[in-house]
């Protein structure tokens, strides 16, 4: 009898185990079906983009005296590819993509999943956010529903759809790895980080949640090899909505300007202020006669919130101000001398002239995260210390280990004087020169170091 009971017990465990296995398989099949349904819903609204264009390449003699004899600039054909997403906006259909996908395009063609293709025209483009809006001469195209990127959570499943390396309308899956990531070259806004595979050709494609909603526009990767290593970045769709609205309605993007130089709150500085956390943004400089100066903002103020929304870091503050129309009055909650203070500021219009008036060339610095560099202006003090008197350029303040800059030989203390034979005198000059270089393109820097002047060849990491 005892043996019979034991056998019965073992049999019941086996049956239970089989039932559990069956339930697990059923769950996996349902999950697989869910992914497939999202792809079927979204994929028709994602297009492949191919471009044709010409760029002027600086002429140079191929003789041994090439540095002394200049030739006229030579036009060179440049073809490109990427992806785009069809959306509905105010009753019309538009295609969103990255500005860098179509930046040098004379002709733009979009290809649908059903093999139809159309010539596209540019409605508007914005280099600061890297967003462009296109339109084709047809109606009733499949569209992708817009989601809410503010509701994204780290760890949430997402899917990336684009055309990497000529493989049209490819799909990859992953999670949201991080939110509010800093832009690489100080551009406007922040990034969503994902480990969904993104490769060259994915730029401008869709990042969607499992509801089939567009939550981001895939834009960039960080990679030492040029391919995906799980560090992909997308522009949040809520930022995209703001840019698209202004490009469609006004043909340009008008942004607010606070008129300050800002930095993240250092943990030790937070401790000395009696704060129990390092959330906040420090005002390092205030532009004379700018919006903040007129309102009474002071150097050393720590911005804790804008209109009641907490500001955890400089990326969030820059994003919030940039998404607010000029002329809007915002309320800053600042910490000054240990006390909270509310200051109302009417934002100015962000223009190149306004930015230039607020720059301090003695203290200006910038991080070029794609290359792994931190640079700063060559002040009189630095010139004396580094023995760069009578020289122009920007000083390399830090080089990230393993970065493109490090591998190519850039070192702390070197002076960058030219990029692709264009003179560099300020941080702004360097940023402008690097912004003209397409991902994957080779370029050269002329640098001055302890061993004299040398040319360093580099390659812009692929987006």
């Amino acid at each position: 009898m005892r043996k019979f009971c034991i056998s019965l017990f073992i049999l019941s465990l086996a049956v239970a185990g089989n039932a559990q296995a069956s339930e697990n398989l059923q769950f996996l099949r349902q999950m697989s079906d869910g992914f497939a349904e999202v792809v079927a819903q979204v994929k028709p609204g994602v297009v492949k983009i191919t471009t044709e264009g010409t760029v002027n390449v600086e002429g140079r003699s191929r003789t041994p005296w090439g540095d002394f004899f200049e030739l006229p600039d030579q036009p060179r054909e440049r073809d490109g590819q990427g992806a785009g997403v069809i959306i509905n906006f105010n009753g019309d259909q538009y295609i969103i993509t990255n500005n860098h996908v179509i930046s040098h395009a004379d002709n733009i063609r979009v290809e649908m999943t059903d093999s139809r293709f159309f010539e596209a025209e540019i409605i508007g483009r914005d280099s600061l956010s890297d967003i462009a809006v296109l339109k084709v001469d047809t109606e009733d195209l499949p569209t992708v529903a817009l989601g809410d990127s503010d509701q994204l959570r780290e760890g949430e499943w997402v899917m990336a759809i684009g055309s990497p390396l000529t493989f049209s309308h490819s799909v990859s899956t992953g999670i949201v790895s991080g939110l509010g990531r800093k832009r690489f070259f100080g551009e406007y806004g922040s990034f969503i980080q994902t480990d969904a595979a993104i490769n060259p050709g994915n730029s401008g494609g869709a990042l969607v949640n499992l509801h089939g909603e567009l939550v981001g526009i895939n834009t960039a990767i960080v990679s030492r090899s040029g391919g995906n290593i799980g560090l992909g970045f997308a522009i949040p769709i809520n930022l995209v909505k703001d840019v698209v609205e202004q490009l469609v309605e006004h043909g340009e993007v008008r942004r607010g300007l606070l008129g300050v130089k800002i930095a993240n709150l250092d943990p030790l500085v937070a401790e000395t202020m009696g704060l129990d956390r390092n959330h906040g943004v420090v005002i390092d400089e205030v532009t004379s006669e700018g919006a903040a100066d007129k309102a009474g903002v002071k150097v050393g103020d720590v911005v804790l919130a804008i209109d009641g929304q907490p500001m955890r870091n400089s990326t969030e503050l820059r994003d919030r101000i940039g998404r607010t129309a000029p002329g809007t009055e915002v309320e800053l909650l600042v910490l000054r001398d240990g006390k909270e203070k509310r200051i109302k500021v009417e934002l100015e219009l962000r223009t190149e002239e306004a930015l230039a008036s607020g720059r301090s060339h003695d203290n200006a610095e910038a991080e070029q995260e794609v290359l792994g560099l931190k640079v700063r202006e060559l002040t009189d003090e630095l010139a004396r210390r580094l023995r760069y008197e009578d020289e122009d350029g920007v000083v390399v303040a830090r080089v990230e280990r393993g970065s493109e800059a490090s591998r190519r030989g850039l070192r702390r203390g070197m002076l960058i004087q030219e990029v692709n034979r264009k003179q560099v005198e300020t941080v702004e000059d360097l940023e402008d020169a690097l912004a003209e270089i397409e991902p994957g393109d080779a370029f050269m820097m002329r640098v001055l170091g302890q061993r004299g002047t040398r040319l360093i060849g580099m390659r812009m990491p692929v987006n």
Side-chain angles (χ1 to χ4, degrees):
M1 182 67 180
R2 183 179 177 184
K3 292 183 178 179
F4 174 77
C5 290
I6 293 174
S7 299
L8 185 61
F9 176 69
I10 294 174
L11 180 61
S12 64
L13 287 178
V15 171
N18 289 335
Q20 182 64 45
S22 179
E23 289 180 5
N24 291 339
L25 287 174
Q26 184 64 23
F27 171 77
L28 289 175
R29 288 166 183 155
Q30 289 175 348
M31 185 175 179
S32 178
D33 289 342
F35 280 118
E37 288 174 10
V38 173
V39 172
Q41 174 185 336
V42 173
K43 191 174 178 180
V46 180
V47 301
K48 177 182 178 181
I49 295 178
T50 54
T51 64
E52 296 176 349
T54 55
V55 293
N56 286 326
V57 179
E58 188 172 317
R60 183 181 178 187
S61 172
R62 295 184 179 273
T63 70
W65 302 276
D67 286 333
F68 303 97
F69 295 95
E70 298 296 330
L71 297 175
D73 288 352
Q74 303 295 318
R76 177 184 295 176
E77 293 186 0
R78 171 174 286 176
D79 297 336
Q81 69 171 40
V85 188
I86 308 172
I87 65 165
N88 275 317
F89 180 78
N90 289 347
D92 290 318
Q93 294 180 331
Y94 298 94
I95 298 172
I96 309 171
T97 188
N98 289 141
N99 178 64
H100 75 257
V101 171
I102 52 89
S103 58
H104 297 290
D106 297 321
N107 299 299
I108 304 171
R109 189 172 86 162
V110 300
E111 182 179 333
M112 310 289 295
T113 54
D114 60 7
S115 298
R116 289 184 297 164
F117 59 87
F118 306 95
E119 300 297 319
E121 63 171 324
I122 299 174
I123 298 299
R125 53 198 291 182
D126 178 52
S127 60
L128 202 58
S129 62
D130 197 17
I131 291 295
V133 180
L134 312 177
K135 193 167 180 58
V136 296
D137 188 17
T138 189
E139 297 180 355
D140 298 326
L141 295 173
T143 60
V144 180
L146 300 180
D148 182 356
S149 51
D150 288 344
Q151 299 302 313
L152 276 177
R153 300 165 297 166
E154 292 180 351
E156 182 175 345
W157 279 97
V158 287
M159 307 177 75
I161 306 177
S163 298
L165 302 173
T166 72
F167 293 96
S168 300
H169 302 97
S170 296
V171 182
S172 60
T173 63
I175 62 169
V176 174
S177 305
L179 298 168
R181 297 303 195 200
K182 182 181 177 182
R183 290 288 190 113
F184 301 138
F185 291 108
E187 309 107 312
Y188 162 55
S190 60
F191 278 145
I192 301 166
Q193 180 186 338
T194 179
D195 65 352
I198 295 176
N199 286 290
N202 271 109
S203 290
L207 187 74
V208 299
N209 60 22
L210 294 191
H211 297 287
E213 297 169 333
L214 185 65
V215 294
I217 297 296
N218 299 321
T219 298
I221 62 173
V222 171
S223 173
R224 295 177 180 177
S225 64
N228 172 66
I229 60 171
L231 289 172
F233 299 89
I235 304 171
I237 195 61
N238 287 5
L239 168 59
V240 176
K241 293 175 189 176
D242 293 338
V243 173
V244 169
E245 180 176 8
Q246 295 197 57
L247 289 178
V248 170
E249 294 184 1
H250 308 296
E252 63 178 358
V253 179
R254 303 175 75 248
R255 297 185 173 90
L257 181 68
L258 189 57
V260 295
K261 182 181 178 182
I262 59 178
N264 292 329
L265 181 61
D266 182 88
L268 291 180
V269 174
E271 183 178 338
T272 62
M273 292 181 174
L275 299 175
D276 60 357
R277 63 189 66 187
N278 60 325
H279 287 180
V281 183
V282 180
I283 303 296
D284 277 347
E285 295 181 18
V286 179
T287 303
S288 178
E289 297 301 315
D293 185 37
K294 294 174 183 177
V297 177
K298 304 294 184 183
V299 172
D301 285 350
V302 178
V303 180
L304 303 176
I306 297 179
D307 289 338
Q309 179 181 348
M311 293 290 109
R312 295 175 296 178
N313 52 53
S314 59
T315 300
E316 288 188 354
L317 188 146
R318 189 179 294 109
D319 184 33
R320 177 58 185 265
I321 296 299
R323 290 170 64 176
T324 305
T328 302
E329 185 179 78
V330 298
E331 183 182 75
L332 307 184
L333 176 63
V334 304
L335 184 68
R336 180 186 298 172
D337 298 328
K339 297 180 181 180
E340 292 186 356
K341 183 179 180 65
R342 297 183 185 276
I343 303 176
K344 293 185 177 180
V345 183
E346 183 177 331
L347 301 181
E348 298 178 320
L349 173 65
R350 185 190 190 282
T351 63
E352 288 304 316
E353 293 77 13
L355 289 176
S357 68
R359 284 193 183 98
S360 171
H361 292 297
D362 290 338
N363 299 307
E365 60 181 29
E367 288 200 49
Q368 305 295 337
E369 294 189 15
V370 170
L371 298 178
L373 279 178
K374 184 173 183 179
V375 297
R376 63 177 306 173
E377 305 285 0
L378 179 64
T379 63
D380 292 340
E381 179 185 352
L382 276 175
R384 286 193 299 271
R385 190 194 315 167
L386 299 174
R387 299 181 181 179
Y388 289 148
E389 293 94 340
D390 302 323
E391 297 287 351
D392 291 320
V394 297
V395 179
V396 177
R398 179 174 59 81
V399 181
E400 182 181 343
R401 182 177 298 177
S403 66
E404 174 71 6
S406 176
R407 291 196 303 274
R408 303 301 181 182
L410 277 177
R411 297 294 181 261
R412 184 172 180 266
M414 284 184 170
L415 190 68
I416 301 174
Q417 297 185 304
E418 289 183 1
V419 174
N420 278 351
R421 308 181 76 182
K422 292 183 178 179
Q423 189 168 359
V424 171
E425 297 182 358
T426 66
V427 168
E428 182 188 7
D429 290 342
L430 178 63
E431 290 178 334
D432 289 345
L434 293 177
E436 294 179 1
I437 301 170
E438 292 295 311
D441 281 2
F443 63 98
M444 65 180 179
M445 288 184 175
R446 182 166 68 85
V447 302
L448 178 62
Q450 293 181 349
R451 299 182 180 179
T453 302
R454 57 183 288 204
L455 291 177
I456 294 180
M458 305 182 72
R459 187 176 299 280
M460 184 63 70
V462 178
N463 287 347

